[in-house]
Amino acid sequence: MTDSSVRAEQLDLVARLKSAYPELPDAPTPDLLDHARFAAYMKPVHDVGGEPDAPMKYENKEYEHWEHMTYVICEVLAWRGVWLSEERRRIGNVDVGRAVYLGLPYYGRWLLAVARVLLEKQYLSSAELSERLTEVKKRYEGGLNGALPEAHPKFEGDGSQVKRNTHHVHAVGKGDPQVFAGRAGPPKFGVGDAVVVHDFPALFYTRTPEYVQGATGEIAAVAYESPAPEDETWDRTDATPEWFYVVRFNPSQLWHGYTGTTSDTLQTELPERWLRATA
């Protein structure tokens, strides 16, 4: 955007992007926002299971080069102990908001997450990122013309000086979640036990789908010990590990109007804090 007319054109486009209820004004006063709409705004945007949507045509489309490279970058950041997978999911899936989550390509959100984590953990500054983006943009002003972009690193960093999360240090040579084995105490539930999923408020991040909250299921397997996703996503690897379980549900209990057979089942993995025994 180089002049006022271009900025005005872009702002017109922004004005068309809506992610709020049309019956409410932007930034509504508290008396206009009821509890149901507040809960809808607070729902983690990646928890889309069961939401109504139009059918999508399956296409066996190959990943583009930049998508492969984005995946590699994210994996390297994890291997180097810069972030945890739960951090990446939160930063790239939830913190972006519903409009960006639904509007950008999958690996586009991953790539934004890379920039966010490098800034937030002070591996680079905002000025460095902006200058580098401007430099790369100028390098390809004429387009790629069928070629692949090339990396032009300015220097090779000293890996010994990289600040790593404690989880990475603990897991080296052991693996995840094996590193937490034996630290959660005895499991509270066993295979075959009937359990109810708590209906906790899920602010900011959770891996427990909304469609199972409040539902009754059965323990299908006692899986492993690990910090809960709600803690791991903030790099709280000092949190006490707990048991994870594979819980089996009847889909007819989860989705109103379910038309499948009565023998259908759905299984999902849940941490112990989200489960309680049936009365």
Side-chain angles (χ1 to χ4, degrees):
M1 292 181 285
T2 56
D3 56 41
S4 59
S5 64
V6 175
R7 286 193 294 272
E9 185 177 326
Q10 180 64 24
L11 288 174
D12 286 340
L13 190 61
V14 170
R16 291 174 52 206
L17 177 63
K18 295 295 183 181
S19 57
Y21 289 101
E23 66 271 20
L24 296 179
D26 290 342
T29 55
D31 59 302
L32 296 178
L33 190 63
D34 59 23
H35 177 75
R37 284 174 175 76
F38 174 78
Y41 279 126
M42 290 297 101
K43 180 183 177 182
V45 297
H46 71 309
D47 186 9
V48 297
E51 290 187 11
D53 199 359
M56 292 184 65
K57 179 182 177 182
Y58 176 78
E59 293 181 340
N60 191 17
K61 178 183 178 296
E62 293 185 3
Y63 288 125
E64 296 180 9
H65 180 72
W66 71 268
E67 293 176 302
H68 280 295
M69 293 299 98
T70 298
Y71 181 84
V72 170
I73 290 173
C74 290
E75 288 295 286
V76 169
L77 289 174
W79 295 340
R80 295 296 187 181
V82 172
W83 63 0
L84 304 174
S85 60
E86 296 295 349
E87 285 184 284
R88 197 267 306 153
R89 292 187 182 100
R90 170 180 62 82
I91 294 172
N93 291 347
V94 179
D95 291 356
V96 296
R98 181 168 290 265
V100 170
Y101 179 79
L102 297 176
L104 291 187
Y106 180 66
Y107 281 110
R109 290 186 277 106
W110 280 45
L111 196 55
L112 285 176
V114 170
R116 282 274 306 274
V117 74
L118 293 177
L119 286 173
E120 290 184 2
K121 296 197 173 185
Q122 301 180 24
Y123 290 106
L124 50 78
S125 69
S126 178
E128 287 176 307
L129 179 60
S130 297
E131 291 170 0
R132 191 64 164 162
L133 287 172
T134 302
E135 177 186 322
V136 173
K137 184 178 179 180
K138 288 181 178 178
R139 191 189 309 159
Y140 296 105
E141 280 183 331
L144 293 174
N145 298 317
L148 296 177
E150 297 180 2
H152 291 176
K154 291 185 175 181
F155 58 88
E156 181 177 341
D158 181 1
S160 66
Q161 302 304 308
V162 174
K163 181 181 178 182
R164 308 182 193 282
N165 59 54
T166 56
H167 172 79
H168 174 78
V169 176
H170 294 160
V172 169
K174 299 177 183 178
D176 177 8
Q178 295 90 341
V179 65
F180 299 108
R183 294 175 55 187
K188 185 177 179 180
F189 306 106
V191 173
D193 288 352
V195 292
V196 177
V197 183
H198 284 293
D199 192 13
F200 290 143
L203 291 175
F204 308 125
Y205 186 81
T206 181
R207 292 290 300 281
T208 300
E210 184 184 56
Y211 58 78
V212 302
Q213 294 176 27
T216 299
E218 177 184 289
I219 301 295
V222 181
Y224 57 86
E225 300 159 86
S226 177
E230 291 86 357
D231 290 332
E232 243 187 348
T233 189
W234 306 100
D235 195 15
R236 281 293 311 278
T237 47
D238 59 328
T240 302
E242 56 190 89
W243 281 98
F244 279 65
Y245 303 86
V246 177
V247 185
R248 182 183 298 118
F249 298 91
N250 186 320
S252 62
Q253 184 190 9
L254 306 181
W255 290 292
H256 178 71
Y258 181 76
T259 58
T261 67
T262 57
S263 61
D264 286 350
T265 61
L266 176 144
Q267 294 186 170
T268 188
E269 193 178 83
L270 301 172
E272 194 166 87
R273 70 175 61 181
W274 277 89
L275 303 174
R276 65 176 174 83
T278 57

